[in-house]
């Protein structure tokens, strides 16, 4: 068995002493930021469950807008590498925030013959609805009294970064609607959806269509988008690693 951590110019690898499965962790960052070192506590937590974890830097944002297809090609290259390195064991995609969208999209494209499971943490599962939500924060028409929404300045900044990748509403809408097909598929890939109850970045309207067909949904009460970036310190009830372990054991037999 392999054991330990390694890295090269573009990727990091966390390898447990006993490998029961392998994943490619697709990092988040508003479709514009992030790299192989993002979300390191989550990667280590997954490795502690017996899963080899590969994280990688990939092109996105204004450098590689969605229409170019560059981002998805980069992700497919990493997927091919991980599946080739650990053949014969379950392979899954883990995605966080904007990486949650990319992971779900890639899984849908490759299908259940290639992808054994998906774990999506606070995914921007519908970029168009997220953009609509941000615009309502900016113009002051946001509904609700919980306070779980962004101030206009922060919403404007996030929207600008998101649009550096998507460029226009039509592209976001077309990509978002592709997920609707998953609900009609007979063989949906086992999917664990993890969300925070007070997420200002990804309100429930952005993920509700995925929740309709996801195998399991875990809502972490009292937490927001921070759970997509790192594990809750100290573990305990609000740490979702236990939910991940049960999902892997029961749904995927990892």
């Amino acid at each position: 068995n392999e054991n330990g951590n390694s890295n090269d110019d573009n990727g990091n690898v966390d390898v447990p002493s006993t490998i029961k499965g392998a994943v490619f962790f697709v990092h988040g960052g508003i479709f514009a930021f992030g790299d192989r070192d993002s979300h390191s506590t989550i990667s280590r937590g997954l490795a502690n469950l017996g899963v080899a974890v590969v994280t990688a830097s990939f092109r996105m944002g204004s450098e590689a807008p969605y229409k170019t297809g560059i981002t998805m090609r980069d992700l497919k290259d990493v997927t091919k590498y991980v599946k080739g390195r650990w053949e014969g064991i379950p392979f899954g995609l883990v995605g966080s925030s904007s990486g949650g969208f990319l992971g779900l999209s890639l899984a849908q494209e490759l299908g259940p013959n290639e992808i054994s499971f998906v774990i999506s943490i606070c995914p921007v599962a519908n970029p168009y609805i997220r953009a609509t939500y941000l615009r309502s924060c900016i113009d002051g028409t946001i509904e609700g009294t919980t306070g779980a929404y962004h101030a206009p300045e922060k919403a404007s900044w996030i929207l600008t970064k998101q649009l550096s990748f998507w460029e226009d509403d039509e592209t976001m809408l077309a990509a978002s609607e592709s997920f609707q097909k998953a609900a009609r598929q007979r063989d949906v890939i086992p999917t664990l959806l993890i969300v925070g109850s007070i997420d200002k970045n990804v309100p429930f309207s952005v993920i509700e269509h995925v929740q309709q067909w996801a195998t399991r949904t875990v809502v972490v009460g009292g937490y927001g988008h921070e759970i997509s970036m790192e594990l809750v310190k100290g573990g305990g009830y609000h740490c979702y690693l236990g939910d991940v372990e049960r999902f892997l054991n029961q749904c995927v037999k990892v």
Side-chain angles (χ1 to χ4, degrees):
N1 292 326
E2 299 176 76
N3 189 14
N5 305 324
S6 62
N7 62 78
D8 57 28
D9 290 340
N10 295 305
N12 294 338
V13 182
D14 287 294
V15 184
S17 56
T18 300
I19 303 174
K20 298 183 288 186
V23 301
F24 171 26
F25 192 138
V26 186
H27 70 73
I30 326 177
F31 300 101
F33 301 115
D35 56 32
R36 65 182 188 179
D37 296 319
S38 302
H39 323 303
S40 58
T41 65
I42 302 176
S43 297
R44 289 195 297 270
L46 292 171
N48 288 337
L49 298 180
V51 177
V53 183
V54 174
T55 58
S57 300
F58 54 87
R59 293 168 290 179
M60 56 182 169
S62 58
E63 175 191 9
Y66 179 79
K67 291 178 184 178
T68 67
I70 291 174
T71 302
M72 296 307 292
R73 287 200 298 272
D74 285 353
L75 299 182
K76 288 176 183 177
D77 286 343
V78 180
T79 296
K80 183 178 180 180
Y81 162 77
V82 180
K83 288 177 64 66
R85 180 166 176 175
W86 292 287
E87 295 185 39
I89 61 175
F91 168 75
L93 293 168
V94 179
S96 178
S97 191
S98 58
F101 170 88
L102 297 171
L104 287 166
S105 182
L106 182 59
Q108 187 178 49
E109 181 175 345
L110 298 179
N113 291 331
E114 295 290 327
I115 309 299
S116 300
F117 61 93
V118 176
I119 300 172
S120 199
I121 309 169
C122 304
V124 186
N126 191 314
Y128 177 75
I129 290 180
R130 211 271 279 268
T132 301
Y133 153 74
L134 292 171
R135 288 178 177 127
S136 68
C137 292
I138 295 168
D139 62 25
T141 59
I142 183 70
E143 296 180 356
T145 58
T146 63
Y149 49 85
H150 281 303
E153 297 79 9
K154 182 64 175 293
S156 179
W157 180 79
I158 294 173
L159 181 61
T160 298
K161 299 306 178 184
Q162 178 170 316
L163 287 174
S164 72
F165 179 68
W166 290 101
E167 299 184 305
D168 55 62
D169 284 4
E170 290 73 19
T171 303
M172 288 190 290
L173 184 61
S176 300
E177 289 180 342
S178 70
F179 284 121
Q180 309 275 343
K181 301 175 183 177
R184 298 190 294 270
Q185 291 177 350
R186 180 173 298 178
D187 298 320
V188 174
I189 298 170
T191 300
L192 175 63
L193 176 63
I194 301 171
V195 297
S197 67
I198 52 172
D199 193 335
K200 295 181 180 181
N201 280 22
V202 181
F204 281 114
S205 59
V206 176
I207 55 91
E208 63 181 351
H209 61 293
V210 175
Q211 189 173 1
Q212 293 173 6
W213 53 263
T215 311
R216 294 185 180 180
T217 299
V218 173
V219 180
V220 182
Y223 283 82
H225 206 66
E226 66 270 18
I227 66 171
S228 73
M229 296 179 280
E230 63 178 2
L231 294 177
V232 176
K233 294 180 179 179
Y237 183 75
H238 289 103
C239 181
Y240 50 76
L241 276 184
D243 300 288
V244 172
E245 185 173 25
R246 283 188 290 274
F247 170 74
L248 294 175
N249 288 338
Q250 298 176 21
C251 296
V252 198
K253 308 304 180 186
V254 172

